Amino acid sequence: MSVAGIRAWAARHAERRRYSPVGIAFHWIMAALVIFQLGWGWYAGRLMAGGDKLHAYEVHSAVGLPILILAIGRLVWRIVIPGPENDADRQGVQTQIAYAIHYIFYLCFFGLPLSGWAMWSSVAEPGPLYLAGVLPWPQLPFHDLPLETRWQIMSAAESVHHVLVLVLFVTVPLHVGAALKHHFWDRHDVLRGMLPEIPDDVDPRPASEHKPRDPGILGT
Ligand code: HEM
Ligand code: HEM
C-alpha cells in the first residue's frame, strides 16, 4: 500500500474525529508500558542492593527498550498521519498545554530509554541487556573510555532519567485527568476518538453514525 493509500485510510477515521486503529494501538500499548515502567522503576529503586534489585532492573530495561523502538515507529506515523480535530482543539491555553504535554511525552519516549541505556553501558559489564527479555541488545561503546568519563556519563544519564521520571509523574496525571474531564464532565468526543470502536450487535455501523435507539417502554 502506498503512503497516499495509508493517508486516505487514516483520513477516513480522522473525518469521524477518531484516531486510526494504528494510532490507537500505539497509544494504549505505549501508555501501558510507560505506566508499568513508572511503577516498576520506583519499586526497583527501593529494593535493597543485591540479586533481586539487579533482576528488577533487568526486567525494567527489557520492558523499557521496546519503548524506544515503538517511539521511532510512532513518531514516523505521527509525522505522516496527523491526529484528528476534536472537541479539545479550541486553540485556548488548555489546548496549548495539552499539545505541550504530547511533545513532552514524545521526548520521554526517547529520553528515558536512551538515558537508561547509557546508564547500563557506562557501568555494567558487557552483557545483560535484552530487548523484551529475549533479543540481545548491544551496549553503547563506552567500555574503552577512562573510568572517570564513564562515571560522568553515568551521573549525567541518571540525572536526565530522574528529571524525565519526575516530569512524567506530574504530566501523566494531568493528561489522564484532562481526558476524563473532557469525557465525563464536558461530554466531549476526545476520549472516544482514542478508544477502539466496538460494533454494536444490533446496529453494526460506527458509533458516530448511530441513531438514538427507540426508547421503547422506557420512553413511554
Ligand atoms: C519510558 C521508559 C522508562 C521509564 C518510565 C522509567 C522509569 C524509571 C523510574 C521511575 C526509575 C526509578 C527512579 C528512582 O528510583 O528515583 C528508573 C530508574 C532506572 N531506570 Fe528507568 N525508565 C524507563 C526506561 C528505562 C530503560 C530502557 C532502561 C535501561 C535500558 C532504564 C534503566 C534504569 C536504571 C539503570 C535506573 C536506576 C537509576 C538510578 O540509579 O537511580 N530505564 N526508571
Ligand atoms: C488511562 C490513561 C490515559 C488516557 C485516558 C489517555 C487519553 C488520551 C486521549 C483522549 C488522547 C487524545 C487527545 C487529543 O486528541 O487531544 C491522548 C493522546 C495522547 N496520549 Fe494519552 N491517555 C492516557 C495515558 C497516556 C500515557 C501514560 C501516555 C504516555 C506517557 C500517553 C500519551 C499520549 C500521547 C503522546 C498522545 C498524543 C497522541 C498523538 O497525537 O500522537 N497517554 N491520550
Side-chain angles (χ1 to χ4, degrees), residues 70-200:
L70 287 167
I72 297 168
R74 186 172 185 182
L75 185 64
V76 171
W77 180 261
R78 188 67 182 78
I79 290 169
V80 178
I81 308 291
E85 291 249 331
N86 57 33
D87 290 338
D89 295 303
R90 309 209 149 183
Q91 298 307 325
V93 178
Q94 288 183 24
T95 308
Q96 299 308 322
I97 294 174
Y99 289 164
I101 289 182
H102 293 170
Y103 279 113
I104 290 173
F105 285 163
Y106 275 88
L107 186 74
C108 292
F109 295 152
F110 286 95
L112 280 162
L114 286 174
S115 55
W117 188 12
M119 275 191 268
W120 274 104
S121 311
S122 55
V123 291
E125 294 298 313
L129 284 183
Y130 288 91
L131 182 72
V134 268
L135 286 181
W137 184 272
Q139 302 269 3
L140 289 165
F142 296 157
H143 34 271
D144 292 334
L145 296 174
L147 196 59
E148 202 189 320
T149 316
R150 279 161 54 185
W151 278 110
Q152 282 164 352
I153 295 174
M154 167 71 191
S155 149
E158 193 178 16
S159 305
V160 169
H161 210 75
H162 283 177
V163 168
L164 294 182
V165 162
L166 282 179
V167 165
L168 280 184
F169 271 121
V170 175
T171 48
V172 168
L174 281 177
H175 174 76
V176 176
L180 297 179
K181 178 187 174 281
H182 273 297
H183 190 74
F184 290 109
W185 186 273
D186 303 319
R187 312 235 163 223
H188 284 164
D189 62 357
V190 185
L191 180 57
R192 209 171 304 124
M194 191 49 109
L195 290 173
E197 220 167 3
I198 303 170
D200 185 316

